[in-house]
Amino acid sequence: MVPTSENCALLLAAVVTVLSCVLLPGAQAGLVGDFNHAERCKDSLYMGTPPRGYLSNSFKKICQRYEGKPRYVTLYDPQKHIPIYSAYTFKKSDGEKKVDFPWMFEPQLASEKSSSNMEPFPQSTSMHMNFEDSQAVLEDYADVVQYERGQLNPDEHQADPLDKAATYSLTNVVPQIREFNLGPWAEHQDIIRKRLNNYCRGKAFVITGVTTSGHTIRRNNLDRVAVPEYMWSAYCCTAFDQNAPYFVRYKFPVFGAYGLNDRINNHMVEVPLKNLEKFLKGRMDVDKNFQIFYNDCVPDN
């Protein structure tokens, strides 16, 4: 068969496609259809499996990449401009919070042709208009003194400087009432940090998310960023210290918590995983099979 120019073009296109897959694994990351490959942040999830049961088709799956490496995953609502949850692996840390990292955005939410790595916001605020339809921007948080930027994957639960830097994406942030953010929420994150530091002997997977009730931050007479009603979090660590005191041991391998994002009655309530799922089913658009961790964090023996 004599190669025609059309056949040659098709062959060339096939070769380029194969080379792209082999040489550019990062090209598959950023916004993804699923989280089922390592380069798509699979390793941030227990058994490589995200929470199941969310009914909305409008949420975006983000493999949060920084400096070319997958760091954690986020399910993002591009209409409410907040993450629904972030899932990450906990790293033993001293709890020190860095404050010198720039805030970043997700280019692929604005254009699928953009970089699959998060990038710092441009200095020129006029540039932010290019992607403010798809996500929150710095201006949304500029004049709202009652709110703090609450990280779902917190800086304090990471150890490597690049992993810490990657938590400073606005796609990992929700508006938290100042009193809640600085009080019960910060205290809970530190309790979990110390518990996992001291008693988790293997890898710990954490998923932190929100429920919403309609309150929003408005800017220029537009609804910009949804304000969570409740914050929730759960961890899964199957290899833990079997000799831990009972008051700690019964909170392994898996446990959860929730708290009201408000000025009062905002204490964090720690509960077993099934209790947390039952609580959330009544407050989120999920089906009856809603499950936070694969097989409820029970290892397959």
Side-chain angles (χ1 to χ4, degrees), residues 42-106:
K42 174 185 177 181
D43 295 343
S44 297
L45 298 156
Y46 176 64
M47 300 299 287
T49 305
R52 74 175 187 207
Y54 284 93
L55 294 173
S56 174
N57 293 321
S58 65
F59 296 154
K60 302 292 186 182
K61 297 182 176 75
I62 304 175
C63 176
Q64 298 277 19
R65 293 175 66 87
Y66 180 65
E67 297 288 335
K69 181 182 174 184
R71 306 289 170 174
Y72 58 101
V73 310
T74 297
L75 186 68
Y76 194 78
D77 188 334
Q79 296 164 344
K80 294 183 177 179
H81 298 154
I82 58 167
I84 300 301
Y85 67 72
S86 283
Y88 60 95
T89 53
F90 171 86
K91 314 297 191 310
K92 287 193 173 184
S93 75
D94 57 10
E96 184 181 352
K97 188 175 179 72
K98 302 290 186 184
V99 293
D100 53 353
F101 295 126
W103 285 101
M104 291 179 277
F105 73 103
E106 178 56 59

Side-chain angles (χ1 to χ4, degrees), residues 6-61:
E6 186 178 356
N7 287 337
C8 287
L10 287 171
L11 182 61
L12 181 60
V15 170
V16 168
T17 300
V18 170
L19 285 174
S20 295
C21 292
V22 172
L23 298 176
L24 299 172
Q28 298 292 314
L31 285 189
V32 296
D34 52 53
F35 296 126
N36 63 356
H37 295 290
E39 70 269 21
R40 298 182 195 171
C41 292
K42 174 185 177 181
D43 295 343
S44 297
L45 298 156
Y46 176 64
M47 300 299 287
T49 305
R52 74 175 187 207
Y54 284 93
L55 294 173
S56 174
N57 293 321
S58 65
F59 296 154
K60 302 292 186 182
K61 297 182 176 75

Side-chain angles (χ1 to χ4, degrees), residues 100-281:
D100 53 353
F101 295 126
W103 285 101
M104 291 179 277
F105 73 103
E106 178 56 59
Q108 286 208 335
L109 281 174
S111 169
E112 292 182 5
K113 298 175 182 176
S114 298
S115 166
S116 62
N117 284 287
M118 61 180 74
E119 295 179 359
F121 278 96
Q123 292 290 329
S124 170
T125 55
S126 62
M127 292 283 290
H128 299 181
M129 294 174 62
N130 296 337
F131 39 82
E132 69 178 8
D133 284 348
S134 62
Q135 58 199 292
V137 295
L138 293 173
E139 290 76 24
D140 294 322
Y141 287 90
D143 297 315
V144 284
V145 293
Q146 70 270 43
Y147 297 113
E148 294 286 331
R149 301 172 204 184
Q151 295 171 311
L152 301 194
N153 173 8
D155 172 352
E156 299 94 326
H157 283 191
Q158 302 299 328
D160 180 87
L162 295 181
D163 286 340
K164 281 178 168 290
T167 66
Y168 286 86
S169 168
L170 281 194
T171 56
N172 179 49
V173 162
V174 296
Q176 288 184 333
I177 297 290
R178 183 176 175 81
E179 290 85 347
F180 174 71
N181 173 273
L182 299 176
W185 184 248
E187 292 162 12
H188 175 73
Q189 288 184 323
D190 201 49
I191 287 170
I192 299 305
R193 180 186 66 82
K194 291 174 179 174
R195 184 182 301 163
L196 296 178
N197 267 355
N198 294 332
Y199 300 106
C200 182
R201 296 292 177 258
K203 186 177 280 190
F205 299 89
V206 185
I207 301 178
T208 298
V210 304
T211 75
T212 58
S213 64
H215 293 297
T216 61
I217 291 176
R218 290 176 61 83
R219 180 167 61 85
N220 297 334
N221 292 321
L222 295 173
D223 288 343
R224 284 295 305 158
V225 183
V227 177
E229 180 181 22
Y230 283 93
M231 302 292 304
W232 62 268
S233 187
Y235 61 81
C236 165
C237 168
T238 57
F240 58 93
D241 184 355
Q242 301 284 346
N243 296 316
Y246 176 74
F247 71 89
V248 172
R249 196 168 69 250
Y250 84 91
K251 294 177 179 176
F252 282 95
V254 62
F255 222 63
Y258 64 87
L260 183 65
N261 182 28
D262 207 341
R263 289 179 178 79
I264 57 174
N265 301 322
N266 57 9
H267 57 287
M268 293 293 293
V269 181
E270 284 205 71
V271 291
L273 183 68
K274 283 298 178 190
N275 296 38
L276 175 61
E277 289 175 344
K278 183 178 179 181
F279 176 83
L280 294 175
K281 280 179 187 177

